[in-house]
Structure formats: C-alpha cells, structure tokens
Amino acid sequence: MSTATDERTTARRGKAPAGERLADWADGRLGVYGAAKYGMRKVFPDHWSFLLGEIALFSFIIVLLTGVYLTLFFVPSMAQVEYHGSYVPMQGQLMSEAYASTLDISFDVRGGLLVRQIHHWGALIFVVAIFIHMMRVFFTGAFRKPREINWLFGFTLFILALFTGLTGYSLPDDLLSGTGIRFMEGAILATPVVGTWIQMLLFGGEFPGHDIIPRFFVIHVLLLPGLLLALVVAHLILIVFHKHTHYAGPGKTNTNVVGMPFFPVYMAKAGGFTFIVFGVITLIAGTVTINPVWTIGPYRPETVSTNAQPDWYLGFSEGLVRMMPGWEIVLFGDYTLNLGLLIPLGVFPAMLVVLMLYPFFESWVTKDTREHHIAQRPRNVPTRTAFGMAWLSAYFVALVAGGNDVWAINFNLSINAITWFCRIGFFVLPVLVFFLTRRICLGLQRRDRDKVLHGRETGIIKRLPHGEFIEVHEPLPPAERYKLTAHEQPRPLSLPPAVDENGVERKVGPLEKLRARLSRGYYGEQAQIPKATAEEYREITSGHGHH
C-alpha cells in the first residue's frame, strides 16, 4: 500500500527514479531504447555446434583479462641480469630480464603461475575453437552469400591468433622460445633480396640483438590484441546483421530464424556457459603444467636441443620445412637460393589462402548468387566435404612431420622413414582422402534415401501369406523425412550448343569450359544421389512396398 502511494507521489511530483532518468537521458542522445528492443528480442537458433564460436569468444576474453594481469609484472628487456629469486636451481645464473621476470611471475607473484597457465591454455583453446568453428562453417556451407566477408573476417582472426601465439610464447626468452625465434630469423634471411632488410628491421641488428623481445611485447600486447578485438566486434556485428544460419527442419526457411530470444533465454545460457568455459580452462591450468620455463632454462645458442617443438597450430609450418629436401640453387656464381626454406615458405601461406578463398571459388563454379540461411549437411555436398577433408589430411601430415624426431624417439622408428612417409603422404594421402570421403558421403545419401522411402529397420521379421520373410520397417516421422529431403540438388552447368540458331559457331572460352567441368564434379550424376521424391514415397506407401 505504501509502495503504491510512494509511486503515485513520485509521479505527481514529476520525478522518476534515478535509473529511469539516466536511461531517458541516454536514450535522448544514443537511442538506447530502440537498440535495446531490437537486440534483446534478437532470435538465436539453438544447436550445439554454435557453441564452438562462443568457446572462442569466451576464451579470448579470458586471454585478454589474464594478459592484463601478466603485463603488470613482466619486464620486456633483453638486458642480462643475475638471478636471485626464489627458484634455487637458477640462482646465480645470467639471464635476460624477460626470463627473470617470468620466473618471478611463476614463483614470487601471488597466483602468478596459475594466471600464466590460464593465459597459455586459454590461448591454445582460443586457437583450437576458432579452427574447429571455421571447419563447422566450411562443412555446412555457412560461408555462402551473404556471409563471404564474415568468413574472411573469421579467417583473418585465425591468422592473427597464430601470430599472437607466436609472439606470446616467444616473450619469456627461454630455450624453447629462443630456438623458435632463431628458426624464424633463418626463414626470414632465406627470403631473396629483402630478407636481410626485414631481419634488421625486426631484430634491430645481429641475432638475437636487444630489441626483439621489446618489439614482440608491443606487438603482442597492443597491436595484435587491438586488431583481434576490432575484428571480433566486426564479426559479431555481421552475425547480428546477417542473422544466424539454422539447420533444416519444419518451419525453417531462408526468410526466418527459429530459436530463442537473446533476452532472457540466450543471455542466461551464454552467461552460464562463460563460467563453464572459464572453469574448465582454470581446471586444466591448475592440473596440467604447460611451458615450464624453469626446467627449460634461459636461451643459449650453444645449448639448443633438437627436441624443440612449436605449439600445435604452427607445427605444420615446421613440418613443411622438415619434409623439404635441402635443395639449393646458386645464381650468377655467388647468390644462393635456399629452396629448402623458400618452397615451404610459399606452401605455408598458400595452404591458408586456398581455404580462405574457397567460398569465392565455389560461388564462381556454381554461379549461385542467392542468399542462403539454411546450413547444409556435409554429406549432401560431397565434393566440398571431400575437398575439406583432403585439406585437413595434408595439414595433419605436415603436423606429423613437424615432430618427426619425437615420433621416432618415442616409437623407436627411423626418422628418415617418417620423413619419407610424410613426403609421399603429403601428396598421395589428400587424393585418397578426397575420393574416400566422397564415396562415404554418397553412401550416406543412399542410406538417407532408403530411410525416407522404407523407414527404419525394427528387427521384427514377418512372414507374408505366400511364404516370403521380410523385416518390418517403421516409417519415419514427417519432421525427420522433411529434414532428410529439404536440401537442394542443383543441376550441373552445361555448355551452350556448338552453333546458334543461325548456324554460327559459338565461341566458348577455356574458363567457361573449366567451370562446366567443375560443376559436373559438384552436381553431376557421380557426385550426388537423387533424393527421394514425394511421388516415390506415395508409390511405396500405397501398398506396393513392404513395411
């Protein structure tokens, strides 16, 4: 009673609560009411695969927060000091201030080691989540119009994450990271003409110099995170603008989105999932040691071990170098081209660029300019799925080659045999995987067609009046039948007749001929199984088939 009286009194006096007045003030200048109404009622589809992008986003936030904490204690300097900290085995040794401050963070800063490990594990999970999220987008065709630009944003995020990780694990100046920097410097010097200039610009002198750690620090904590943050915001804005893709089902079309509103359902789920991601990363960081720099020691060129591996996401780049024979070409009698590094340095970005530009290649092949908001099942696009698996097989072969010495030691194998296996497998395995994957997709399409027409097997055997034994099939629910038949099956492009109606020979360019041939590879008879039609289903269910 008193509350209602107070509210009437407040209204009578023309005074609104402070929060409401603040909201009115902001709305008059920023239009927050309209934006909030639009954003809070934004519909998000509900599917487990969409959590992959959220894992990447939440782990990125964790990396940013822990990075700010570590920046307060890290000293990005190559100046040599004598260590007198808490870690007794290192006392009295000369090391860089960067390495000494890393030891101080690990042993003297309260919670420093835990935050270091959360930061490192969070960075690894961030890259893993981006990579798997990109594969989900690729295999479901979620990169098609109008999302090609957002695909480029996401791929650029992945590449920036790679370089952020490279600069991050190089900062402690331990033996492992120093070996990685030395490898990078050698690759830069192998670049013709401009290699020495780039090396001097980056290192500020001969290796290791005094500038590399301070410069990596600025790149790692300012430049790359700023670019990542800007791209994440742009990526999310385009997701809201284009809306989420959703999987085929009753009531789901290219013109609607079926799901839950952002507030309160999605916000509650996302908030809870944030704490789950943070908790899992913290649990891993608290129980599994990663990058124990105190056992590795400071970087010394004379103590480099062969058992030095980069983080997994750059392991394939080193594998390309290890697979490559040490070929050299001497030009003009005194200029040496190191093909053992030049060719891998060209293949490394080429592998990434091929995947990055694939959406535009597929759009060109299919001449499909329509908007698509329904995600595809990978089995229904066998050629694309096969290409993606072939790319992944080449990636993993290179990743295995990057640790050929570790494989050889732990499994008592010949390192030369592993290297030759990877050299051959890098070219042969993707071809085998391509055809095998496409055959599997076609088999799954046949299975879907059979399920739609004949239903599920029940395991019940029935004898017909004329003595035949059959297995009784249970018809699929209408919703599942729709799901298995909702995908499109375009026809392959065909070349026009050799002559027009006037008998004049048509000129067809080589690119158009190539496009028609590739289109047959995507949509020809050997690339897709005709899905079940309504007429076929009615004919079988009318009594002419066995159920």
Side-chain angles (χ1 to χ4, degrees):
M1 185 70 178
S2 60
T3 303
T5 304
D6 291 341
E7 290 177 354
R8 286 195 298 269
T9 303
T10 302
R12 192 181 304 117
R13 294 176 179 175
K15 294 182 179 179
E20 185 176 339
R21 293 201 305 270
L22 178 61
D24 289 340
W25 181 89
D27 179 62
R29 290 154 180 81
L30 302 175
V32 294
Y33 287 167
K37 182 179 180 181
Y38 173 80
M40 292 301 180
R41 303 307 297 173
K42 183 72 176 176
V43 174
F44 285 84
D46 191 9
H47 193 272
W48 67 267
S49 64
F50 297 142
L51 297 178
L52 298 171
E54 295 180 19
I55 293 174
L57 175 62
F58 300 150
S59 58
F60 176 60
I61 295 172
I62 292 169
V63 169
L64 287 180
L65 295 177
T66 53
V68 170
Y69 182 82
L70 295 174
T71 304
L72 301 176
F73 304 99
F74 181 73
V75 181
S77 171
M78 294 286 286
Q80 295 294 302
V81 296
E82 186 175 339
Y83 180 71
H84 296 289
S86 301
Y87 189 62
V88 176
M90 286 288 179
Q91 288 184 357
Q93 290 195 31
L94 287 177
M95 59 186 65
S96 66
E97 285 189 287
Y99 184 78
S101 65
T102 304
L103 292 180
D104 291 338
I105 291 172
S106 301
F107 296 106
D108 297 308
V109 175
R110 187 178 297 274
L113 180 58
L114 178 62
V115 175
R116 264 196 69 226
Q117 299 225 141
I118 292 175
H119 186 74
H120 202 138
W121 277 114
L124 290 179
I125 292 174
F126 173 55
V127 180
V128 170
I130 291 179
F131 185 75
I132 300 178
H133 175 62
M134 285 173 49
M135 291 299 101
R136 196 277 300 175
V137 171
F138 179 86
F139 285 114
T140 61
F143 55 73
R144 294 175 296 168
K145 184 181 178 180
R147 297 176 179 82
E148 301 97 332
I149 295 178
N150 219 12
W151 166 263
L152 295 180
F153 281 176
F155 209 96
T156 307
L157 277 170
F158 177 66
I159 295 175
L160 289 177
L162 298 185
F163 286 104
T164 306
L166 171 65
T167 55
Y169 74 65
S170 299
L171 288 180
D173 195 35
D174 60 293
L175 184 60
L176 178 61
S177 66
T179 304
I181 295 176
R182 182 64 168 175
F183 176 85
M184 182 186 69
E185 191 233 8
I188 292 173
L189 288 175
T191 307
V193 182
V194 297
T196 53
W197 295 93
I198 297 175
Q199 191 272 347
M200 293 295 291
L201 178 66
L202 188 60
F203 288 84
E206 296 294 332
F207 179 85
H210 297 283
D211 298 330
I212 186 63
I213 295 298
R215 290 179 181 180
F216 268 22
F217 181 75
V218 173
I219 294 172
H220 181 72
V221 304
L222 290 179
L223 178 60
L224 292 178
L227 293 175
L228 282 169
L229 189 59
L231 279 175
V232 166
V233 173
H235 189 70
L236 294 176
I237 290 174
L238 284 181
I239 288 176
V240 173
F241 178 71
H242 292 144
K243 70 186 179 182
H244 263 291
T245 57
H246 51 188
Y247 292 90
K252 298 179 180 180
T253 68
N254 268 319
T255 59
N256 68 353
V257 180
V258 178
M260 297 295 181
F262 178 76
F263 181 84
V265 179
Y266 185 80
M267 182 178 289
K269 289 184 177 181
F273 193 59
T274 303
F275 289 103
I276 292 175
V277 172
F278 180 76
V280 170
I281 292 177
T282 304
L283 180 63
I284 297 174
T287 55
V288 182
T289 301
I290 189 170
N291 196 23
V293 296
W294 54 90
T295 64
I296 301 173
Y299 176 68
R300 293 284 185 273
E302 70 278 4
T303 58
V304 171
S305 168
T306 58
N307 189 19
Q309 308 294 322
D311 281 339
W312 73 269
Y313 46 83
L314 286 175
F316 83 102
S317 62
E318 181 163 335
L320 293 173
V321 176
R322 295 193 184 195
M323 285 191 295
M324 185 66 194
W327 294 343
E328 292 182 349
I329 296 179
V330 179
L331 300 177
F332 312 113
D334 59 354
Y335 192 87
T336 302
L337 286 180
N338 186 352
L339 299 182
L341 279 175
L342 278 180
I343 293 179
L345 287 178
V347 174
F348 168 59
M351 288 183 64
L352 298 175
V353 169
V354 164
L355 199 63
M356 180 176 68
L357 298 181
Y358 178 85
F360 302 95
F361 168 76
E362 183 175 305
S363 176
W364 175 78
V365 169
T366 60
K367 285 189 175 180
D368 188 358
T369 58
R370 299 168 299 164
E371 288 194 3
H372 296 278
H373 302 288
I374 300 290
Q376 296 172 303
R377 302 176 78 200
R379 67 183 64 180
N380 293 329
V381 195
T383 302
R384 180 207 298 152
T385 303
F387 174 81
M389 293 302 298
W391 188 92
L392 286 175
S393 66
Y395 176 90
F396 283 112
V397 168
L399 191 61
V400 170
N404 55 2
D405 52 341
V406 178
W407 291 101
I409 292 172
N410 287 281
F411 292 94
N412 196 25
L413 299 172
S414 167
I415 189 171
N416 291 325
I418 295 174
T419 301
W420 274 105
F421 170 81
C422 293
R423 286 174 177 173
I424 298 172
F426 185 76
F427 296 98
V428 175
L429 189 62
V431 177
L432 297 178
V433 168
F434 179 89
F435 288 104
L436 178 61
T437 302
R438 197 157 79 156
R439 292 287 297 177
I440 292 174
C441 290
L442 293 175
L444 292 174
Q445 285 188 25
R446 290 189 184 94
R447 180 172 175 268
D448 287 346
R449 174 183 169 85
D450 186 69
K451 286 173 63 177
V452 169
L453 295 177
H454 302 287
R456 294 192 186 93
E457 297 176 352
T458 62
I460 300 174
I461 305 299
K462 180 180 178 181
R463 184 179 181 181
L464 298 180
H466 59 275
E468 179 185 0
F469 288 92
I470 64 169
E471 182 179 11
V472 178
H473 287 66
E474 178 187 4
L476 294 181
E480 190 166 350
R481 289 201 306 269
Y482 179 87
K483 174 184 174 183
L484 298 181
T485 57
H487 60 281
E488 296 180 342
Q489 289 193 318
R491 293 184 178 181
L493 302 176
S494 57
L495 294 175
V499 295
D500 61 17
E501 61 276 6
N502 298 319
V504 179
E505 181 181 358
R506 284 192 174 94
K507 292 184 179 180
V508 180
L511 281 179
E512 197 63 29
K513 293 180 180 178
L514 176 62
R515 183 182 355 220
R517 183 175 301 176
L518 292 172
S519 179
R520 288 194 296 271
Y522 272 82
Y523 303 125
E525 294 181 358
Q526 302 300 319
Q528 59 184 357
I529 304 300
K531 63 182 181 180
T533 63
E535 292 76 13
E536 290 175 317
Y537 180 76
R538 282 194 295 267
E539 180 180 354
I540 289 179
T541 56
S542 63
H544 300 291
H546 297 310
H547 287 275

